Amino acid sequence: MQTVLIIEDEKDLAELVSFNLEKEGYRTITAFDGASGLEAARSHPPDLILLDLMLPGMMGMEVCKILKKSEKTARVPVIMLTAKGEEIDRVVGFEVGADDYVVKPFSTRELLLRIKAVLRRSLPDRSEGKILTIGPVTIDPDRHTVAVDGEEIVLTTTEFKLLLNLAERLGRVQSRDLLLKNVWGYNYVGDTRTVDTHITRLRTKLGRGGDLIRTVRGFGYKMEDA
C-alpha cells in the first residue's frame, strides 16, 4: 500500500482528498501546516506528497525546498496544489523541485490520474540497465544514482528520468513534446516550458556535466559526449 502525505490547511479539502485516496487503496497522512508536514515527511517518508502552497507559518514553496535538499526526502515526488495558475507560478514550483502542479479547483479524477502518473514515474525500471558513462557523468539505472566526477548527486525522480532518457539516446535530438511523452507520460497535461525548467535545474545540478546537454534551438535537446 502506497502512502500519500497531504499537507493542506483547508481541512475539508484535506479530508475529501484523503477519503478519495483511501477509496483507491492508498494510505494517507494529513498535516495542516508546513512545519507539521515537514515533521511527518522526515519521520516516515511517504511515497508521494500533496503540498498546498498557501500554508500557515511556512509557505509550500519553502517546504518543498527543504524537502528537496534533504537526502532522506529528496526523491519523494511532490505534487503542488494551489489556486495560483499563472505560468510563472508553475515555473517557480518546478524550479524548487515539484514533480507536478494541480490548480484548484480540481476534479478528484484529475488528481488521481496525476498521482498515478507521478507514482508510475517514480518506480524503478524493471529491466536491467548497464551503467552509462558520458564524460564526467556516470548513470546507474539499477541503483537509480548519478555521479559527476565520482561524486554522487541527488536528483528528483523526474530529473533522473529526463537525464536517462537523453543519455540512452546519446547524440539524438529529442523534441520537447517527445520528452513530455517519454518522461512525464502520455496523459501529462503541461506545456513545453516544463521541460525547459527541468533541463535548467538538471544542468545546474550536474555542474560541468551539464554542458553535455545541448539545446537545439526551436526544437528540443540532446546529450553529447564531450
Side-chain angles (χ1 to χ4, degrees):
M1 181 180 292
Q2 293 174 302
T3 301
V4 177
L5 170 60
I6 304 165
I7 309 176
E8 168 62 67
D9 66 324
E10 295 181 45
K11 293 189 177 182
D12 289 345
L13 178 58
E15 290 172 359
L16 177 63
V17 171
S18 176
F19 173 76
N20 281 286
L21 286 176
E22 289 180 357
K23 276 178 56 181
E24 292 292 317
Y26 297 99
R27 175 175 175 264
T28 64
I29 303 170
T30 304
F32 301 112
D33 60 71
S36 59
L38 273 177
E39 183 180 351
R42 288 166 169 167
S43 301
H44 300 93
D47 295 289
L48 182 139
I49 297 172
L50 295 178
L51 176 62
D52 183 31
L53 284 188
M54 303 299 290
L55 293 169
M58 183 185 297
M59 299 292 280
M61 289 289 187
E62 186 61 27
V63 173
C64 191
K65 286 180 185 178
I66 295 171
L67 288 170
K68 293 302 179 180
K69 286 180 181 177
S70 169
E71 187 173 348
K72 193 172 184 179
T73 55
R75 292 187 175 90
V76 178
V78 174
I79 297 179
M80 287 188 170
L81 307 177
T82 179
K84 296 182 175 181
E86 299 298 323
E87 180 184 7
I88 185 62
D89 298 309
R90 295 198 303 273
V91 169
V92 172
F94 289 132
E95 285 178 344
V96 298
D99 292 86
D100 206 347
Y101 198 101
V102 180
V103 178
K104 299 176 182 177
F106 51 80
S107 70
T108 300
R109 182 173 179 274
E110 177 192 6
L111 182 61
L112 287 170
L113 286 172
R114 285 176 180 264
I115 288 172
K116 288 176 182 178
V118 171
L119 285 172
R120 190 163 55 244
R121 293 204 303 270
S122 70
L123 292 173
D125 294 331
R126 297 301 180 189
S127 58
E128 292 186 2
K130 65 177 182 179
I131 294 176
L132 302 174
T133 300
I134 305 169
V137 179
T138 302
I139 306 167
D140 187 334
D142 292 335
R143 292 179 57 232
H144 214 266
T145 58
V146 176
V148 178
D149 292 322
E151 182 176 345
E152 187 171 334
I153 61 171
V154 178
L155 299 182
T156 66
T157 299
T158 303
E159 290 164 352
F160 182 85
K161 294 267 188 181
L162 180 57
L163 176 62
L164 186 60
N165 189 276
L166 291 168
E168 289 179 334
R169 297 160 178 80
L170 193 66
R172 292 160 52 189
V173 181
Q174 306 294 300
S175 71
R176 290 172 174 84
D177 287 334
L178 186 58
L179 287 169
L180 276 173
K181 172 183 170 182
N182 290 340
V183 177
W184 280 263
Y186 285 99
N187 294 321
Y188 182 79
V189 180
D191 54 39
T192 53
R193 182 68 182 272
T194 298
V195 178
D196 297 337
T197 302
H198 277 80
I199 287 287
T200 298
R201 290 178 52 237
L202 183 56
R203 281 171 169 159
T204 300
K205 287 188 176 184
L206 291 174
R208 75 185 189 95
D211 293 337
L212 301 174
I213 301 175
R214 312 287 171 80
T215 301
V216 179
R217 190 175 298 277
F219 190 74
Y221 298 94
K222 64 178 176 178
M223 192 169 186
E224 291 186 334
D225 204 345

